[in-house]
């Protein structure tokens, strides 16, 4: 998708562990980005993450960006594919963010 660097980012933030920001610490382990194993994912209910001010700032940890999982839970590392998004719209498939045409 245009404007989204994601996993293809040539210069992701490096954590103090030396790993990229995609290796989020979780206790003694780490959580890597994952695609949920759910059929019809685009239409599935996924528990929303807490969008609070306090934990939204705690994830940044003073610029270290290494507290996503403890503050937002492991689903913060879940991702959708373009196909997942397309399956939720009735809009043209040329763009998952296309504006629907409104008849006048």
């Amino acid at each position: 998708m245009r404007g989204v660097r994601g996993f293809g980012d040539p210069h992701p933030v490096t954590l103090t562990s030396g790993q990229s920001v995609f290796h989020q610490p979780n206790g003694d382990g780490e959580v890597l980005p994952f695609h949920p194993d759910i059929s019809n994912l685009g239409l599935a209910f996924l528990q929303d993450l807490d969008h609070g001010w306090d934990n939204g700032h705690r994830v940044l940890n003073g610029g270290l960006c290494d507290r996503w999982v403890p503050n937002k839970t492991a689903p913060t590392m879940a991702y959708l594919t373009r196909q997942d998004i397309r399956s939720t719209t009735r809009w043209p498939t040329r763009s998952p963010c296309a504006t629907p045409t409104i008849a006048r």
Side-chain angles (χ1 to χ4, degrees):
M1 289 182 255
R2 201 174 351 185
V4 177
R5 295 190 307 184
F7 306 131
D9 188 342
H11 307 288
V13 171
T14 301
L15 301 176
T16 56
S17 66
Q19 297 279 11
S20 79
V21 71
F22 299 120
H23 294 255
Q24 283 294 308
N26 186 28
D28 291 334
E30 64 184 14
V31 178
L32 295 168
F34 64 93
H35 186 256
D37 186 20
I38 300 171
S39 63
N40 230 354
L41 180 59
L43 297 174
F45 173 78
L46 298 177
Q47 183 67 41
D48 195 17
L49 306 174
D50 185 342
H51 295 286
W53 177 267
D54 291 335
N55 75 354
H57 284 80
R58 283 193 302 265
V59 301
L60 301 176
N61 193 22
L64 298 177
C65 302
D66 62 354
R67 296 289 184 255
W68 283 92
V69 176
N71 287 284
K72 301 286 188 179
T73 69
T76 196
M77 300 300 287
Y79 67 86
L80 301 179
T81 65
R82 183 183 300 261
Q83 187 58 41
D84 296 328
I85 296 167
R86 281 186 179 155
S87 70
T88 66
T89 68
R90 291 183 219 153
W91 301 332
T93 57
R94 63 177 160 54
S95 170
C97 299
T99 304
T101 303
I102 300 171
R104 295 182 193 250

